[in-house]
Coordinates of all heavy atoms in Angstrom, one line a residue:
M1 N 89.6 98.8 64.0 CA 89.2 100.3 64.0 C 90.1 101.1 63.2 O 89.7 102.1 62.7 CB 89.0 100.8 65.4 CG 87.8 100.1 66.2 SD 86.2 100.3 65.4 CE 86.0 102.0 65.5
K2 N 91.4 100.8 63.3 CA 92.4 101.5 62.5 C 92.2 101.6 61.0 O 92.7 102.5 60.3 CB 93.9 101.0 62.8 CG 94.3 101.4 64.3 CD 95.7 100.9 64.5 CE 96.1 101.2 66.0 NZ 97.5 100.6 66.2
A3 N 91.5 100.6 60.5 CA 91.2 100.4 59.1 C 89.9 101.0 58.7 O 89.3 100.7 57.6 CB 91.2 99.0 58.7
F4 N 89.3 101.6 59.7 CA 87.9 102.3 59.5 C 87.9 103.7 59.9 O 87.3 104.1 60.9 CB 86.8 101.4 60.2 CG 85.4 101.9 60.0 CD1 85.0 101.9 58.7 CD2 84.6 102.3 61.0 CE1 83.7 102.2 58.4 CE2 83.3 102.6 60.8 CZ 82.8 102.7 59.5
P5 N 88.7 104.5 59.1 CA 88.8 105.9 59.5 C 87.4 106.7 59.3 O 86.7 106.3 58.4 CB 89.8 106.6 58.6 CG 89.9 105.6 57.5 CD 89.5 104.3 58.0
I6 N 87.1 107.6 60.2 CA 85.9 108.4 60.1 C 86.3 109.8 60.2 O 87.0 110.3 60.9 CB 84.9 108.0 61.3 CG1 84.6 106.5 61.4 CG2 83.8 109.0 61.3 CD1 83.8 106.1 62.6
T7 N 85.7 110.6 59.2 CA 85.8 112.0 59.2 C 84.7 112.7 59.9 O 83.4 112.5 59.4 CB 86.0 112.6 57.9 OG1 87.1 111.9 57.2 CG2 86.2 114.1 57.7
I8 N 84.8 113.4 61.1 CA 83.7 114.1 61.6 C 83.5 115.4 61.1 O 84.3 116.2 60.9 CB 84.0 114.3 63.2 CG1 84.3 112.9 63.8 CG2 82.9 115.1 63.8 CD1 84.8 112.9 65.3
R9 N 82.3 115.5 60.5 CA 82.0 116.8 59.9 C 81.4 117.9 60.7 O 81.6 119.1 60.5 CB 80.9 116.5 58.7 CG 81.4 115.7 57.5 CD 80.4 115.7 56.4 NE 79.1 115.3 57.0 CZ 78.2 114.6 56.3 NH1 78.4 114.2 55.1 NH2 77.1 114.3 56.9
D10 N 80.7 117.4 61.9 CA 80.0 118.5 62.7 C 79.6 117.7 64.0 O 79.7 116.6 64.0 CB 78.8 119.0 62.0 CG 78.5 120.4 62.4 OD1 79.1 120.9 63.3 OD2 77.6 120.9 61.7
F11 N 79.3 118.5 64.9 CA 78.9 118.1 66.2 C 77.3 118.4 66.3 O 76.9 119.3 65.7 CB 79.6 118.7 67.4 CG 81.1 118.5 67.5 CD1 81.9 119.3 67.0 CD2 81.4 117.2 67.9 CE1 83.3 119.1 67.0 CE2 82.8 116.9 68.0 CZ 83.8 117.9 67.6
R12 N 76.6 117.6 67.1 CA 75.2 118.1 67.5 C 75.3 119.2 68.4 O 76.4 119.5 69.0 CB 74.6 116.9 68.2 CG 74.6 115.6 67.5 CD 73.6 115.7 66.3 NE 72.3 116.0 66.6 CZ 71.4 116.4 65.7 NH1 71.7 116.5 64.4 NH2 70.2 116.6 66.1
P13 N 74.3 120.1 68.4 CA 74.4 121.4 69.2 C 74.5 121.0 70.7 O 74.0 120.1 71.3 CB 73.0 122.0 68.9 CG 72.1 121.0 68.3 CD 73.0 120.0 67.7
V14 N 75.2 121.9 71.4 CA 75.4 121.6 72.9 C 74.1 121.6 73.7 O 74.1 120.9 74.8 CB 76.4 122.7 73.4 CG1 75.6 124.0 73.7 CG2 77.0 122.2 74.8
D15 N 73.0 122.3 73.2 CA 71.7 122.1 74.0 C 71.2 120.7 73.9 O 70.1 120.4 74.6 CB 70.7 123.2 73.4 CG 70.4 123.1 72.0 OD1 70.9 122.3 71.3 OD2 69.6 124.0 71.7
E16 N 71.7 119.8 73.0 CA 71.3 118.3 73.0 C 72.2 117.5 73.8 O 72.0 116.3 73.9 CB 71.2 117.9 71.6 CG 70.1 118.6 70.7 CD 70.0 118.0 69.4 OE1 70.7 116.9 69.1 OE2 69.4 118.6 68.5
A17 N 73.3 118.1 74.4 CA 74.2 117.4 75.1 C 73.7 116.8 76.4 O 72.9 117.4 77.0 CB 75.4 118.1 75.5
I18 N 74.0 115.6 76.7 CA 73.5 114.9 77.9 C 74.5 114.5 78.9 O 74.3 114.7 80.2 CB 72.8 113.7 77.4 CG1 71.3 114.2 76.8 CG2 72.4 112.7 78.6 CD1 70.5 113.0 76.4
I19 N 75.7 114.1 78.5 CA 76.7 113.6 79.5 C 78.1 114.1 79.1 O 78.4 114.2 77.9 CB 76.6 112.1 79.6 CG1 77.6 111.5 80.6 CG2 76.9 111.4 78.2 CD1 77.2 111.6 82.0
T20 N 78.8 114.4 80.2 CA 80.3 114.8 79.8 C 81.1 113.6 79.8 O 81.2 112.9 80.8 CB 80.7 115.7 80.9 OG1 79.8 116.9 81.0 CG2 82.2 116.3 80.7
D21 N 81.9 113.4 78.7 CA 82.8 112.3 78.5 C 84.1 112.7 79.2 O 84.4 113.9 79.3 CB 83.0 111.9 77.2 CG 83.4 110.4 77.1 OD1 83.2 109.7 78.1 OD2 83.6 110.0 76.0
G22 N 84.8 111.7 79.8 CA 86.2 112.0 80.4 C 86.0 112.5 81.8 O 84.9 112.4 82.4
G23 N 87.1 112.9 82.4 CA 87.1 113.3 83.8 C 88.1 112.5 84.6 O 89.1 112.0 84.0
V24 N 87.9 112.6 85.9 CA 89.1 111.9 86.9 C 88.9 110.4 86.7 O 87.9 109.8 86.7 CB 88.7 112.3 88.3 CG1 89.7 111.5 89.1 CG2 88.6 113.8 88.5
S25 N 90.0 109.9 86.3 CA 90.2 108.4 86.1 C 89.7 107.6 87.3 O 90.1 107.9 88.5 CB 91.6 108.0 85.8 OG 91.6 106.6 85.7
V26 N 88.8 106.6 87.0 CA 88.4 105.7 88.2 C 89.7 105.0 88.8 O 89.6 104.5 89.9 CB 87.4 104.6 87.8 CG1 86.1 105.3 87.5 CG2 87.9 103.8 86.6
K27 N 90.8 104.9 88.1 CA 92.0 104.3 88.7 C 92.6 105.0 89.8 O 93.4 104.6 90.6 CB 93.0 104.0 87.5 CG 92.6 103.1 86.5 CD 93.6 103.0 85.5 CE 93.2 102.0 84.3 NZ 94.0 102.0 83.0
E28 N 92.2 106.3 89.8 CA 92.7 107.3 90.8 C 91.8 107.6 92.1 O 92.1 108.4 92.8 CB 93.1 108.7 90.1 CG 94.2 108.5 89.1 CD 94.5 109.9 88.4 OE1 93.8 110.8 88.7 OE2 95.4 109.8 87.6
I29 N 90.6 106.7 92.0 CA 89.7 106.9 93.1 C 89.5 105.6 93.8 O 89.4 104.5 93.2 CB 88.4 107.3 92.4 CG1 88.5 108.7 91.7 CG2 87.2 107.4 93.5 CD1 87.3 109.1 90.9
K30 N 89.5 105.6 95.1 CA 89.1 104.5 96.0 C 87.6 104.2 95.9 O 86.8 105.0 96.2 CB 89.4 104.8 97.5 CG 90.9 105.0 97.7 CD 91.1 105.5 99.2 CE 92.5 106.0 99.4 NZ 92.7 106.6 100.8
P31 N 87.2 102.9 95.4 CA 85.9 102.7 94.9 C 84.9 102.6 96.1 O 83.7 102.9 95.8 CB 86.0 101.4 94.2 CG 87.3 100.8 94.7 CD 88.2 101.9 95.0
K32 N 85.4 102.4 97.4 CA 84.5 102.2 98.4 C 84.0 103.6 99.0 O 82.9 103.8 99.6 CB 85.0 101.4 99.5 CG 84.8 99.8 99.1 CD 85.2 99.0 100.2 CE 85.0 97.5 99.8 NZ 85.5 96.5 100.8
T33 N 85.0 104.5 99.0 CA 84.8 105.8 99.6 C 84.8 107.0 98.6 O 84.5 108.2 99.0 CB 85.9 106.1 100.6 OG1 87.2 106.1 100.0 CG2 86.0 105.0 101.7
M34 N 85.2 106.8 97.4 CA 85.3 107.9 96.3 C 86.3 108.8 96.7 O 86.4 110.0 96.1 CB 83.9 108.4 96.1 CG 82.8 107.6 95.8 SD 83.2 106.4 94.6 CE 83.5 107.3 93.0
E35 N 87.2 108.5 97.6 CA 88.3 109.4 97.9 C 89.4 109.3 96.9 O 89.6 108.2 96.4 CB 88.8 109.1 99.4 CG 89.9 110.1 99.8 CD 90.5 109.8 101.2 OE1 90.3 108.7 101.7 OE2 91.1 110.8 101.8
S36 N 90.1 110.4 96.6 CA 91.2 110.3 95.7 C 92.3 109.5 96.3 O 92.5 109.6 97.4 CB 91.7 111.8 95.4 OG 93.0 111.8 94.7
K37 N 92.9 108.8 95.4 CA 94.2 108.1 95.7 C 95.4 108.9 95.8 O 96.4 108.6 96.4 CB 94.5 106.9 94.8 CG 93.4 105.7 94.9 CD 93.7 104.6 93.8 CE 92.7 103.5 93.9 NZ 93.0 102.5 92.9
L38 N 95.2 110.0 95.2 CA 96.4 111.0 95.0 C 96.3 112.1 96.0 O 97.4 112.5 96.6 CB 96.4 111.6 93.6 CG 96.5 110.6 92.5 CD1 96.4 111.4 91.2 CD2 97.5 109.6 92.6
V39 N 95.1 112.5 96.4 CA 95.0 113.7 97.3 C 94.1 113.3 98.5 O 92.9 113.1 98.2 CB 94.4 115.0 96.6 CG1 94.3 116.2 97.6 CG2 95.2 115.3 95.4
S40 N 94.7 113.2 99.7 CA 93.9 112.7 100.8 C 92.8 113.8 101.2 O 93.0 115.0 101.1 CB 94.8 112.6 102.0 OG 94.1 112.4 103.2
G41 N 91.5 113.3 101.4 CA 90.5 114.2 101.8 C 89.8 114.8 100.6 O 88.8 115.6 100.8
L42 N 90.1 114.4 99.4 CA 89.4 114.9 98.2 C 88.5 113.8 97.8 O 89.0 112.6 97.5 CB 90.5 115.3 97.1 CG 89.9 115.8 95.9 CD1 89.1 117.1 96.0 CD2 91.1 116.1 94.9
Y43 N 87.3 114.0 97.5 CA 86.3 113.0 97.2 C 85.6 113.5 95.8 O 85.4 114.7 95.6 CB 85.1 112.9 98.2 CG 85.6 112.3 99.5 CD1 86.4 113.2 100.4 CD2 85.5 110.9 99.8 CE1 86.9 112.6 101.7 CE2 86.0 110.4 101.1 CZ 86.7 111.4 101.9 OH 87.2 110.8 103.0
F44 N 85.1 112.4 95.1 CA 84.5 112.7 93.8 C 83.2 112.0 93.7 O 82.9 110.9 94.3 CB 85.5 112.2 92.6 CG 86.8 112.9 92.5 CD1 87.9 112.1 93.0 CD2 86.9 114.1 92.1 CE1 89.2 112.6 92.9 CE2 88.3 114.5 92.1 CZ 89.3 113.9 92.5
A45 N 82.3 112.7 92.9 CA 81.0 112.0 92.7 C 80.3 112.5 91.3 O 80.6 113.7 91.0 CB 79.9 112.3 93.8
G46 N 79.7 111.8 90.6 CA 78.9 112.1 89.5 C 79.9 112.4 88.2 O 80.8 111.7 88.1
E47 N 79.4 113.3 87.5 CA 80.1 113.6 86.2 C 81.5 113.9 86.1 O 82.2 113.8 85.1 CB 79.3 114.6 85.4 CG 78.0 114.2 84.8 CD 77.6 114.7 83.6 OE1 78.4 115.2 82.9 OE2 76.3 114.8 83.3
I48 N 82.1 114.3 87.3 CA 83.5 114.6 87.2 C 84.3 113.4 87.1 O 85.5 113.5 86.8 CB 83.9 115.3 88.7 CG1 85.2 116.1 88.6 CG2 83.8 114.4 89.8 CD1 85.1 117.3 87.8
I49 N 83.7 112.2 87.4 CA 84.4 110.9 87.2 C 84.3 110.5 85.8 O 83.3 110.7 85.0 CB 83.9 109.8 88.2 CG1 83.8 110.4 89.6 CG2 84.4 108.6 88.0 CD1 83.0 109.6 90.5
D50 N 85.4 109.8 85.3 CA 85.4 109.3 84.0 C 84.6 107.9 83.7 O 85.1 106.9 83.5 CB 86.9 109.0 83.6 CG 87.0 108.7 82.1 OD1 86.0 108.8 81.4 OD2 88.1 108.2 81.7
V51 N 83.3 108.2 84.0 CA 82.4 107.0 83.7 C 81.2 107.6 82.9 O 80.7 108.7 83.2 CB 81.8 106.5 85.0 CG1 80.9 105.4 84.8 CG2 83.0 106.0 85.9
T52 N 80.9 106.9 81.9 CA 79.7 107.5 81.0 C 78.8 106.3 80.7 O 79.1 105.2 80.1 CB 80.3 107.9 79.7 OG1 81.3 108.9 79.9 CG2 79.2 108.6 78.7
G53 N 77.6 106.5 81.2 CA 76.5 105.4 81.0 C 75.5 105.8 79.9 O 75.5 107.0 79.3
F54 N 74.8 104.9 79.3 CA 73.8 105.2 78.4 C 72.6 106.0 79.0 O 72.5 105.8 80.2 CB 73.2 103.9 77.9 CG 74.1 103.0 77.0 CD1 74.6 101.8 77.4 CD2 74.4 103.5 75.7 CE1 75.5 101.0 76.7 CE2 75.3 102.7 75.0 CZ 75.8 101.4 75.5
T55 N 71.9 106.7 78.2 CA 70.8 107.4 78.7 C 69.7 106.4 79.0 O 69.5 105.4 78.4 CB 70.2 108.4 77.6 OG1 71.2 109.3 77.3 CG2 69.0 109.1 78.0
G56 N 69.0 106.8 80.1 CA 68.0 105.9 80.6 C 68.0 105.7 82.1 O 67.4 104.8 82.7
G57 N 68.8 106.6 82.8 CA 68.9 106.6 84.3 C 70.2 106.1 84.8 O 70.6 106.3 86.0
F58 N 71.2 105.6 84.0 CA 72.4 105.1 84.4 C 73.3 106.3 84.9 O 74.1 106.0 85.9 CB 73.1 104.4 83.3 CG 72.3 103.1 82.8 CD1 71.6 103.1 81.7 CD2 72.3 102.0 83.5 CE1 70.9 102.1 81.3 CE2 71.6 100.8 83.2 CZ 70.9 100.9 82.0
N59 N 73.3 107.4 84.3 CA 74.1 108.5 84.6 C 73.7 109.1 86.0 O 74.5 109.4 86.8 CB 74.3 109.5 83.6 CG 74.9 109.0 82.4 OD1 76.1 108.6 82.4 ND2 74.2 108.9 81.3
L60 N 72.4 109.2 86.1 CA 71.8 109.6 87.4 C 72.2 108.7 88.5 O 72.5 109.1 89.6 CB 70.3 109.9 87.2 CG 69.9 111.0 86.4 CD1 68.4 110.9 86.1 CD2 70.2 112.4 87.1
Q61 N 71.9 107.3 88.2 CA 72.4 106.3 89.2 C 73.8 106.4 89.6 O 74.1 106.2 90.8 CB 72.1 104.9 88.6 CG 72.3 103.8 89.7 CD 71.3 104.0 90.8 OE1 70.1 103.9 90.7 NE2 71.9 104.1 92.0
I62 N 74.7 106.6 88.6 CA 76.2 106.8 88.9 C 76.3 108.1 89.8 O 77.2 108.0 90.9 CB 77.0 107.0 87.6 CG1 77.0 105.7 86.7 CG2 78.3 107.6 87.9 CD1 77.4 105.9 85.4
A63 N 75.6 109.1 89.5 CA 75.7 110.4 90.4 C 75.2 110.1 91.8 O 75.9 110.4 92.8 CB 75.0 111.5 89.7
F64 N 74.0 109.4 91.9 CA 73.5 109.1 93.3 C 74.3 108.2 94.1 O 74.7 108.4 95.3 CB 72.1 108.5 93.2 CG 71.0 109.4 92.4 CD1 70.0 108.8 91.7 CD2 71.2 110.8 92.5 CE1 69.1 109.7 91.2 CE2 70.2 111.5 91.9 CZ 69.2 111.0 91.1
S65 N 74.8 107.1 93.4 CA 75.5 106.1 94.1 C 76.9 106.6 94.6 O 77.3 106.2 95.6 CB 75.7 104.9 93.2 OG 74.4 104.3 93.0
T66 N 77.6 107.3 93.6 CA 79.0 107.7 94.0 C 78.8 108.8 95.1 O 79.7 108.8 96.1 CB 79.7 108.3 92.7 OG1 79.0 109.2 92.1 CG2 80.1 107.2 91.8
A67 N 77.8 109.7 95.1 CA 77.7 110.6 96.1 C 77.3 110.1 97.4 O 77.8 110.4 98.4 CB 76.5 111.6 95.7
N68 N 76.5 108.9 97.4 CA 76.2 108.3 98.6 C 77.5 107.7 99.3 O 77.7 107.8 100.5 CB 75.2 107.2 98.3 CG 74.7 106.5 99.5 OD1 74.1 107.2 100.5 ND2 74.8 105.2 99.7
A69 N 78.3 107.0 98.4 CA 79.5 106.4 98.8 C 80.4 107.3 99.4 O 81.1 107.2 100.3 CB 80.2 105.6 97.6
A70 N 80.5 108.6 98.8 CA 81.4 109.6 99.2 C 80.9 110.2 100.6 O 81.7 110.4 101.4 CB 81.5 110.7 98.2
A71 N 79.6 110.3 100.7 CA 79.1 110.9 102.0 C 79.3 110.0 103.1 O 79.7 110.3 104.2 CB 77.6 111.2 101.7
L72 N 79.2 108.6 102.8 CA 79.4 107.6 103.8 C 80.8 107.3 104.1 O 81.2 106.9 105.2 CB 78.6 106.3 103.4 CG 77.1 106.4 103.4 CD1 76.5 105.0 102.9 CD2 76.4 106.8 104.7
G73 N 81.6 107.6 103.0 CA 83.0 107.4 103.1 C 83.8 108.2 104.1 O 84.8 107.9 104.9
Ligands
FAD101 C1 69.4 117.5 78.9 C2 69.9 116.3 79.7 C3 69.2 115.0 79.8 C4 69.7 114.1 80.6 N1 69.0 112.9 80.7 C5 69.5 111.9 81.5 C6 68.7 110.8 81.6 O1 67.7 110.5 80.9 N2 69.2 109.7 82.4 C7 70.3 109.8 83.0 O2 70.7 108.9 83.7 N3 71.0 111.0 82.9 C8 70.7 111.9 82.1 N4 71.3 113.1 82.1 C9 72.7 113.2 82.7 C10 72.5 113.4 84.3 O3 71.6 114.4 84.5 C11 73.9 113.8 84.9 O4 74.8 112.8 84.5 C12 73.8 114.1 86.4 O5 72.8 115.0 86.7 C13 75.2 114.5 86.9 O6 75.1 114.8 88.2 P1 76.2 115.6 88.9 O7 75.8 115.9 90.3 O8 77.5 115.0 88.7 O9 76.3 117.0 88.2 P2 75.2 118.2 88.0 O10 73.9 117.6 88.1 O11 75.7 118.9 86.8 O12 75.5 119.0 89.3 C14 76.6 120.0 89.4 C15 76.0 121.1 90.2 O13 77.2 121.9 90.6 C16 76.9 123.2 90.4 N5 78.2 124.0 90.3 C17 78.8 124.1 89.2 N6 79.9 124.9 89.4 C18 79.9 125.3 90.8 C19 80.6 126.1 91.6 N7 81.8 126.7 91.2 N8 80.3 126.3 92.8 C20 79.1 125.7 93.3 N9 78.3 124.9 92.5 C21 78.8 124.7 91.2 C22 76.0 123.3 89.2 O14 75.2 124.4 89.2 C23 75.1 122.0 89.5 O15 73.9 122.2 90.2 C24 70.9 114.2 81.4 C25 71.5 115.4 81.3 C26 71.2 116.4 80.4 C27 71.9 117.7 80.4

């Protein structure tokens, strides 16, 4: 990839945006309860987490599943 530089000329408009990339690292979250490993009593679900799926239901599934785990945790 270092030998394949790309010059970004422009972005697609924000009204076409679908998923937020980046967020709280999964390395800092307990996977069974979604509780922060750094701050006790702090839970995460959905797009705030650094997980990005393809369009087609994966991001909604991530949001539902992490919220369910956090609620049960
Ligand atoms: C146009 C579009 C198309 C998409 N298509 C797909 C698709 O086909 N398949 C798929 O899997 N995913 C799709 N997604 C992504 C998917 O919708 C999101 O990943 C998912 O809804 C994220 O859920 P969330 O609960 O984390 O965040 P959100 O659904 O963004 O919920 C966050 C909520 O918090 C509220 N909020 C914000 N700030 C505050 C505050 N200070 N106090 C109180 N409430 C606050 C907001 O109003 C919002 O209701 C699409 C997204 C967009 C924008």
Side-chain angles (χ1 to χ4, degrees):
M1 291 305 291
K2 288 181 179 175
F4 186 56
I6 298 171
T7 304
I8 298 172
R9 289 189 312 212
D10 205 352
F11 297 100
R12 302 295 299 166
V14 75
D15 60 358
E16 291 182 17
I18 286 183
I19 184 78
T20 304
D21 208 4
V24 179
S25 170
V26 291
K27 293 177 184 168
E28 297 177 356
I29 299 174
K30 299 174 188 172
K32 286 193 175 164
T33 62
M34 305 313 296
E35 186 178 19
S36 170
K37 291 180 181 174
L38 306 180
V39 180
S40 171
L42 179 63
Y43 294 80
F44 302 105
E47 285 214 23
I48 195 75
I49 304 168
D50 185 14
V51 178
T52 306
F54 289 111
T55 297
F58 298 102
N59 295 296
L60 288 168
Q61 185 64 59
I62 290 166
F64 299 151
S65 297
T66 53
N68 187 59
L72 295 176

